Amino acid sequence: MIWWQRWRYGKHAAATPLAPLYAQPLPAMSQRFADSECLALDFETTGLDPARDRILSIGWVLLQGDRICLRESGHLLVNSGSDSVGHSATVHGLVDADVAAGVSLAEALATLLPLLVGRVLVAHCAVIEVEFLSRACRALYGITPLLRVVDTLAIEAQLRSHEHDPEGALRLHACRERYHLPRYRGHNAAVDALACAELLLAQATRINRMDKLTVGELCRRSR
């Protein structure tokens, strides 16, 4: 599928901020995780439906192998529409005045997309970030990004497939508690990106020795 997208849309991508993602190969599945770079990503949105809801903030942090590089972290408020954030403010704490001071969606993607080049996207319940990002790119550029994705929620579900967990056991904070990671204030995109990055490192040490673990194994466990 990736090669088909690259062949079908590569020329179109050349005129957009997606050009580097189409020009450079995705991280190899055979690459050692210890030698890889990952971008842990989190979006705060007005809801969970990318067809109806919109991105309000983006947070990210870089992982270089088993190191979290806080100096390569970032957070953006996104002013992607004139509608009120409505009841979603009770979840993420962002109010209309916060969002009004944010950058446009186009500016936000122009910052974010170069950070994904040559890196693995990591998120907790990654389908949310992938679908919102894909829809935003389709709306602005007519095509979607090429991504290699690792999902910490799916990894945890696979690791605990033999367990009978209560509802909510795969939420980010619940997963972190099982690895004795500190509890952070949730629903801030930058904090949740860091929390996801730390969870991935804890999961990685459980899955395999760090010098043996590959990107491919993490991707396969993310399905």
Side-chain angles (χ1 to χ4, degrees):
M1 179 62 178
I2 295 295
W3 69 264
W4 182 86
Q5 280 184 269
R6 200 183 301 277
W7 173 80
R8 178 69 175 80
Y9 299 113
K11 289 185 178 179
H12 184 91
T16 76
L18 290 168
L21 286 170
Y22 273 77
Q24 184 165 323
L26 295 175
M29 298 286 272
S30 59
Q31 185 178 38
R32 292 195 317 156
F33 175 64
D35 298 328
S36 70
E37 289 194 346
C38 302
L39 195 76
L41 183 65
D42 185 77
F43 292 164
E44 293 300 327
T45 64
T46 56
L48 298 178
D49 183 355
R52 180 181 60 194
D53 297 308
R54 68 186 198 275
I55 299 169
L56 300 177
S57 67
I58 300 173
W60 66 86
V61 64
L62 176 66
L63 294 93
Q64 292 180 320
D66 61 354
R67 294 190 308 114
I68 294 174
C69 303
L70 289 178
R71 68 180 183 278
E72 301 294 337
S73 62
H75 181 253
L76 289 173
L77 293 173
V78 182
N79 185 355
S80 57
S82 59
D83 292 341
S84 172
V85 301
H87 293 299
S88 69
T90 62
V91 176
H92 47 65
L94 297 173
V95 298
D96 293 341
D98 297 323
V99 176
V103 301
S104 69
L105 182 60
E107 290 175 284
L109 293 189
T111 298
L112 175 63
L113 291 173
L115 300 176
L116 289 166
V117 177
R119 293 169 174 163
V120 179
L121 186 159
V122 179
H124 196 74
C125 194
V127 64
I128 295 174
E129 278 69 27
V130 170
E131 289 190 0
F132 270 92
L133 180 58
S134 295
R135 188 171 184 86
C137 288
R138 190 180 298 112
L140 288 171
Y141 317 124
I143 54 175
T144 58
L146 300 178
L147 302 167
R148 185 78 76 204
V149 179
V150 165
D151 185 343
T152 52
L153 185 149
I155 290 173
E156 192 68 12
Q158 194 273 343
L159 289 172
R160 299 184 61 79
S161 59
H162 61 291
E163 304 286 346
H164 296 286
D165 287 324
E167 184 178 353
L170 295 178
R171 292 183 181 275
L172 181 56
H173 71 86
C175 294
R176 288 173 56 83
E177 285 178 356
R178 286 192 287 273
Y179 295 93
H180 307 291
L181 295 168
R183 184 159 188 172
Y184 296 146
R185 182 175 68 87
H187 298 296
N188 173 280
V191 173
D192 284 350
L194 173 61
C196 178
E198 292 175 343
L199 175 60
L200 177 62
L201 294 183
Q203 291 172 328
T205 59
R206 179 177 174 184
I207 292 169
N208 205 341
R209 285 172 41 187
M210 195 65 75
D211 63 332
K212 299 291 186 182
L213 184 63
T214 65
V215 169
E217 183 166 4
L218 291 174
C219 289
R220 285 188 289 272
R221 288 174 180 266
S222 298
R223 295 170 184 165

